[in-house]
Amino acid sequence: MRTLLALTLLAAAFGAAAQSTARTRPPGTLPLDEVPPPPQIVAEDPSLEPQVSVRTEGDNTVQEYRMNGKIYMQRVTPRHGKPYVLVDQKGDGTFSKQDNTLDNGVRVPQWVLLEF
């Protein structure tokens, strides 16, 4: 049994050793130039981040998320119970409860193209 294990490990070592040698370049190819430096890190604009305000209503703690001065989401955490999220889907100020915990939060853009 030990010899079988030793032969298996030896075969794996030969395979690894065969792959570690440098490969020849295919004909007609050129080596890559110097790798360009990574792009400069740009300072983040704080106006692009959502503003979060926390307020207390009775036993509930409400976190309001604003973008450009408009509330788009509210996270309500009751003292006793499960927290829930209210989302403004259309941007008209009507909030609907988001029950799906598997929802990844991706919203399809919906623009008004024509109005009659």
Side-chain angles (χ1 to χ4, degrees):
M1 182 67 177
R2 288 184 184 179
T3 53
L4 180 62
L5 179 62
L7 287 174
T8 305
L9 291 174
L10 189 62
F14 281 134
Q19 293 176 4
S20 64
T21 59
R23 293 180 9 194
T24 59
R25 203 170 339 128
T29 59
L30 298 173
L32 293 175
D33 294 334
E34 292 276 328
V35 178
Q40 296 293 325
I41 297 176
V42 180
E44 295 181 12
D45 187 8
S47 66
L48 297 177
E49 294 293 322
Q51 293 91 25
V52 180
S53 60
V54 180
R55 60 185 168 88
T56 305
E57 290 183 357
D59 288 342
N60 296 338
T61 302
V62 180
Q63 297 173 341
E64 293 179 339
Y65 294 84
R66 297 175 185 265
M67 184 68 75
N68 296 329
K70 191 171 184 179
I71 298 175
Y72 68 91
M73 183 175 78
Q74 294 179 349
R75 183 179 311 268
V76 181
T77 308
R79 175 172 285 188
H80 304 289
K82 194 173 178 183
Y84 57 93
V85 176
L86 301 172
V87 180
D88 186 7
Q89 299 282 347
K90 297 180 183 177
D92 59 356
T94 305
F95 290 91
S96 60
K97 189 173 179 182
Q98 183 177 352
D99 289 331
N100 188 0
T101 57
L102 298 176
D103 186 13
N104 60 3
V106 175
R107 302 285 173 255
V108 177
Q110 299 175 358
W111 293 286
V112 177
L113 297 179
L114 297 172
E115 284 189 18
F116 296 97

